[in-house]
Amino acid sequence: MVGVLSNKISREELKPGDHIYSWRHSYLYAHHGIYAGEGKVIHFTRGAGQEIGTGTFLDRIIFSSSPSHPKDSPCPQCGDQSALDGVISSCLECFLYDGDLYIFQYSVSPALFLAKARGGTCTLAASDPTEDVLHRADYLLKNGFGAYQIFKNNCEDFAIYCKTGLLVFTSVSLGRSGQAASFLAATSAVVSSPLRFLTNSFPGLAVVGCGIYCISRFVSDIGVRRDVTKVPVERLVARSGVDVPDAAPEVGKKD
């Protein structure tokens, strides 16, 4: 059962339109997608060896969002997808990459959100009806979701958009990804200079750091942010990208 400690589910519990994810590299990073039914997952990837764009071996070691089968042993259902970019459809086995299956939670309470210390597992935002979710995912499979950017437009951003239709309209802000927000919140908690003025003890420093981390995660969640707007998928594709700064007049129109 999905709870505070784990969002792990069985395959029998899967329903079309579910936002699912699987952890990579010892829980360093999770890859996200939308379950389309009949054993298929629509997800957003940059392709093997290209995830963070350094041009070095770190691209493959640090993050991996591409399907798992190598060129010399392609998946019987999907073929070789290891070098594909953009929005693709894969079988559930390829998507999971030998990992476990987890479901992303929507409309969680603030208490549950903060109890889940790891970002990228839930949001306070509400999901749209299943037919809307599947329409967005299928439309983006055919038309694309812009350029992959690890901190602004990644696989979690794609899945959250499919579920909610919400986009960040400010060009200087992060995307919708809880993983990215969690990483930057942790960085802020560690390096923030005001910490040394608030306490001089290690336990006090830990408490203050934890507080900053939690607040940063909370205010970055798509469910409470004010720099988001609802954008129809057809309009998104027509604009050929996921940044819509001229949508600012629609602030607060999430319905």
Side-chain angles (χ1 to χ4, degrees), residues 91-162:
C91 69
L92 184 59
E93 294 298 332
C94 284
F95 173 81
L96 291 177
Y97 201 165
D98 297 323
D100 292 322
L101 173 64
Y102 297 84
I103 188 165
F104 193 98
Q105 294 177 276
Y106 286 81
S107 298
V108 302
S109 67
L112 180 58
F113 179 85
L114 293 174
K116 288 181 174 291
R118 185 67 180 267
T121 63
C122 63
T123 178
L124 286 81
S127 171
D128 286 333
T130 298
E131 56 268 27
D132 294 341
V133 176
L134 293 176
H135 170 66
R136 291 182 189 120
D138 183 67
Y139 198 89
L140 294 174
L141 176 63
K142 297 172 182 175
N143 295 280
F145 190 61
Y148 187 103
Q149 299 178 48
I150 193 63
F151 285 114
K152 191 171 178 65
N153 195 46
N154 58 38
C155 60
E156 186 183 345
D157 292 310
F158 166 78
I160 290 176
Y161 173 73
C162 288

Side-chain angles (χ1 to χ4, degrees), residues 5 7 9 42 48 55 90 106 114 123 149 183 191 206 229:
L5 297 180
N7 288 2
I9 63 169
I42 298 175
S90 304
Y106 286 81
L114 293 174
T123 178
Q149 299 178 48
F183 173 79
V191 304
T229 187

Side-chain angles (χ1 to χ4, degrees), residues 6 35 75 116 133 160 172 205 226 234 236 249:
S6 175
Y35 183 64
C75 172
K116 288 181 174 291
V133 176
I160 290 176
V172 295
L205 186 64
R226 307 310 303 171
E234 294 82 3
L236 170 66

Side-chain angles (χ1 to χ4, degrees), residues 19-24 29-33 41-46 64-67 88 94-97 102 148 154-156 179:
H19 175 174
I20 60 176
Y21 63 95
S22 183
W23 292 103
R24 303 286 201 258
Y29 171 74
H31 185 50
H32 296 246
V41 183
I42 298 175
H43 55 120
F44 186 44
T45 176
R46 194 174 178 180
S64 180
S65 62
S66 59
I88 65 174
C94 284
F95 173 81
L96 291 177
Y97 201 165
Y102 297 84
Y148 187 103
N154 58 38
C155 60
E156 186 183 345
Q179 292 185 97

Side-chain angles (χ1 to χ4, degrees), residues 151-215:
F151 285 114
K152 191 171 178 65
N153 195 46
N154 58 38
C155 60
E156 186 183 345
D157 292 310
F158 166 78
I160 290 176
Y161 173 73
C162 288
K163 291 287 283 185
T164 67
L166 297 175
L167 288 178
V168 177
F169 61 77
T170 51
S171 60
V172 295
S173 180
L174 280 175
R176 299 152 296 278
S177 170
Q179 292 185 97
S182 187
F183 173 79
L184 292 182
T187 303
S188 175
V190 171
V191 304
S192 181
S193 59
L195 288 178
R196 66 175 183 269
F197 300 113
L198 297 176
T199 180
N200 57 9
S201 69
F202 180 79
L205 186 64
V207 169
V208 172
C210 181
I212 291 177
Y213 172 76
C214 290
I215 292 172

